[in-house]
């Protein structure tokens, strides 16, 4: 099998996965979110970055202890 998924950090988000994340972002666009949590695994992080673009800003602010305003 050439697919690596699950409890490893070896797999990247595929083109299909990105397309699905874009559709998820559109479906969730009218729902206000204060924060977003994601697994640190690559595919989960990449999906989160597409679905919730403010995720990277949230991560940086949490590290700095400033939070989102």
């Amino acid at each position: 099998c050439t697919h690596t998924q699950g409890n490893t950090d070896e797999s990247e988000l595929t083109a299909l996965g990105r397309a699905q994340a874009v559709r998820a972002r559109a479906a969730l666009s009218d729902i206000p979110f204060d924060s977003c949590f994601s697994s640190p695994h690559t595919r989960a992080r990449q999906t989160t970055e597409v679905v919730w673009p403010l995720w990277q800003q949230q991560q940086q602010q949490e590290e700095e202890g400033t939070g989102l305003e």
Side-chain angles (χ1 to χ4, degrees):
C1 179
T2 60
H3 291 58
T4 303
Q5 296 178 345
N7 290 329
T8 69
D9 195 28
E10 298 176 20
S11 62
E12 297 274 330
L13 194 60
T14 64
L16 174 60
R18 286 193 182 284
Q20 291 170 333
V22 168
R23 286 198 310 265
R25 180 180 61 206
L28 298 170
S29 65
D30 292 333
I31 301 172
F33 288 93
D34 294 326
S35 62
C36 178
F37 300 91
S38 173
S39 163
H41 287 217
T42 301
R43 282 185 323 141
R45 185 181 38 77
Q46 290 171 337
T47 301
T48 303
E49 290 169 355
V50 173
V51 173
W52 205 61
L54 293 176
W55 181 79
Q56 289 178 329
Q57 178 183 349
Q58 173 190 327
Q59 294 303 304
Q60 181 180 10
Q61 289 176 342
E62 286 178 4
E63 288 173 6
E64 295 171 355
T66 58
L68 286 178
E69 296 181 16

